[in-house]
Each structure stands twice: as structure tokens, then as C-alpha cells.
Amino acid sequence: MTTIDDVMIEITPQVLLKAYACGIFPMAESAEDNALYWIEPERRGILPLDRMHVPRRLARTIRGGGFEVKVDRNFEAVIEGCAAPRSGRRSTWINGRIRSLYRELFALGHCHTVEVWQDGVLTGGLYGVHLGRAFFGESMFSKARDASKIALVYLVARLKYGGFTLLDTQFVTGHLSRFGAIEVSRDEFQGCLEAALGGGLAQGKGSGASASWGGAGGGGGAAAAAGGGGAAAGAGGSAGVADFSALPEGAGAAFVLQLVSQTSNTGCSTA
């Protein structure tokens, strides 16, 4: 593990994106420590998009409604929620430099949030980074029961509809394993990543391309199979870029759960 401060380069959003393209991501020891470290686990967590499991009780909660899922509405509130202390964790790895870098990525269209709102209050969500047809999950939080789980389900539906192939969870926790997350070797992960980035890096909002997180082909397969009418092809028409914005925010619970339950070849799975 090498500290970013040991490498004599300026850390910019572009440098960070190149690190993700190599399978590396940054973390900090704590919110108080301004140093960052490059992390490249020998065993990497992924959630195969074609094998996600939604527990029955959670599916009932999603069908029951009572919440609203929004995308990219309040990055600051989401990263604040992810950085906040929680039960069993007194500190966070999200320091000031992390916040600043991902804020810039958000402005460029390479970082996205999935947010769960109840009665006008943000109760949970997640954020992550996209490149090509890959999405790199960074962190999630919940202030109400099942809020972060709902965000994860809606994230997977959006990725499948948009044509993504890789959802990187970095590590596998008990929470994620219940949804089907698995560990793969570094070499296996690199194979998935290379396939997801085969068409080149996704372009952010600043370059005029649509915001995207990554996917398999143009994304129409998952959408058509679920009766969604077909997602847009990749941003700028590139076969290597998937469309994150293709699934409308107001997609109904039944459609979302149908998308997530599909077992078509829309995700990287090495097991």
C-alpha cells in the first residue's frame, strides 16, 4: 500500500480516473489524516449484475413504496451521510481530500449518487464512480431501515438497464454477500475491468457526453427484455460506454425488481 503523498504527482480527477482504470482506488486512514493511500486488494469484491439476490422482505418493502429514489440531486448530503459515524464505527476513511476529489468527479459527470428520500428527508443512499461500462461503488449510508438496501437495488436496476457489465464493491461484507457479492482474484477482476473498459474511458458532462457508469454493449438488451422500450446506446454512440441516465428516476417498483431479477449476460461473473 503506497501513500499518494509518496508519489510525486498532483492528484487531479483525471489522475484518479486513470487509477480506477488500473484497478486501484484511494482511501484514507481517518477523516483527520489528510494522507491518501492507493489500494489494490488481492481479493476484490464484485456484485455480478446477472446474479443479484433481493431478499423477499426487502422486495415487499420496495413494492410497498413510501419512498422516492432520486439520482444526482444532493452529492454533498450523500457523502456527508457516508462519512458520518455509525454504530460499530467511530471514524471514517472519507477525509477532506476524498470529499474534494469526488466533488470534482461529480461535477465532471464521473461520480453519481442514488438517493432514497422519505417525506422530503434524505434517509439513505450511495455514491460511486463510473468509467466506460464499469461502476465502482464507494460508500453507502442509511438513516432509516432498508434505505441503503433500496438504493443498492435501484442502482443495480439502473446499471442493468443502461448496459453495464461490472459493479465493483471493492470488498465483500456480510451485508453485500446477502445480495450476491463475491470475491474474485486480482487477475479475475482485471479481466472484468478490461472488458468493461474495452471501448475507452467514458466522457464526463464537461465534454458534452451524457453521464454514464458503464455497461454491456448498448444497454438495449436488458431494457427490451424487461419491456422497458430499450435504453439508449452508450454516450456518444461508443460501444464501450453505457448510459446511466437511460432509466427514468420515476421507474416503478415492479419494473425495477423485474430488471434486477433478470439473469441475462449483463454482468461480469467469473465464478
Side-chain angles (χ1 to χ4, degrees):
M1 182 169 65
T2 302
T3 175
I4 289 179
D5 292 329
D6 291 338
V7 182
M8 300 304 293
I9 56 174
E10 178 186 1
I11 304 305
T12 65
Q14 289 70 31
V15 169
L16 191 54
L17 291 175
K18 289 180 180 179
Y20 275 105
C22 293
I24 305 170
F25 58 90
M27 291 187 73
E29 289 288 349
S30 69
E32 293 74 30
D33 184 356
N34 203 40
L36 299 182
Y37 298 87
W38 292 126
I39 309 296
E40 188 182 17
E42 290 191 11
R43 301 289 298 176
R44 192 70 167 249
I46 65 170
L47 204 170
L49 294 173
D50 60 346
R51 295 195 304 172
M52 184 183 188
H53 169 70
V54 181
R56 283 183 291 180
R57 186 189 62 78
L58 178 60
R60 288 196 299 269
T61 298
I62 291 173
R63 291 190 187 96
F67 60 88
E68 185 178 3
V69 177
K70 301 179 182 181
V71 175
D72 292 346
R73 297 296 185 88
N74 198 331
F75 170 80
E76 296 297 336
V78 170
I79 200 166
E80 179 66 28
C82 291
R86 65 189 69 169
S87 177
R89 191 192 72 178
R90 293 186 299 172
S91 62
T92 175
W93 55 268
I94 300 175
N95 64 8
R97 292 180 71 185
I98 291 284
R99 293 188 190 219
S100 178
L101 280 168
Y102 288 85
R103 184 181 298 117
E104 292 183 73
L105 287 181
F106 181 77
L108 292 171
H110 277 291
C111 180
H112 294 273
T113 64
V114 178
E115 308 158 12
V116 178
W117 294 74
Q118 295 173 287
D119 299 322
V121 177
L122 179 65
T123 58
L126 56 83
Y127 77 96
V129 173
H130 84 270
L131 277 177
R133 297 177 293 155
F135 175 67
F136 306 85
E138 283 297 317
S139 188
M140 61 176 62
F141 80 100
S142 186
K143 295 181 180 179
R145 183 175 181 177
D146 291 336
S148 63
K149 298 175 184 177
I150 292 170
L152 179 60
V153 171
Y154 273 74
L155 167 66
V156 171
R158 184 166 290 271
L159 297 183
K160 293 184 73 169
Y161 191 88
F164 293 72
T165 60
L166 175 62
L167 173 50
D168 170 35
T169 67
Q170 298 179 348
F171 305 102
V172 175
T173 64
H175 173 76
L176 290 171
S177 65
R178 288 192 288 271
F179 288 90
I182 61 174
E183 278 191 344
V184 296
S185 70
R186 182 182 297 170
D187 288 345
E188 289 172 322
F189 178 78
Q190 286 294 332
C192 292
L193 180 58
E194 289 173 10
L197 300 182
L201 301 187
Q203 298 299 311
K205 294 176 183 175
S207 63
S210 64
S212 58
W213 281 358
S238 169
V241 181
D243 189 359
F244 172 72
S245 62
L247 180 65
E249 279 190 353
F255 181 47
V256 166
L257 290 170
Q258 184 181 1
L259 271 174
V260 171
S261 67
Q262 289 176 6
T263 57
S264 57
N265 295 323
T266 56
C268 179
S269 176
T270 60

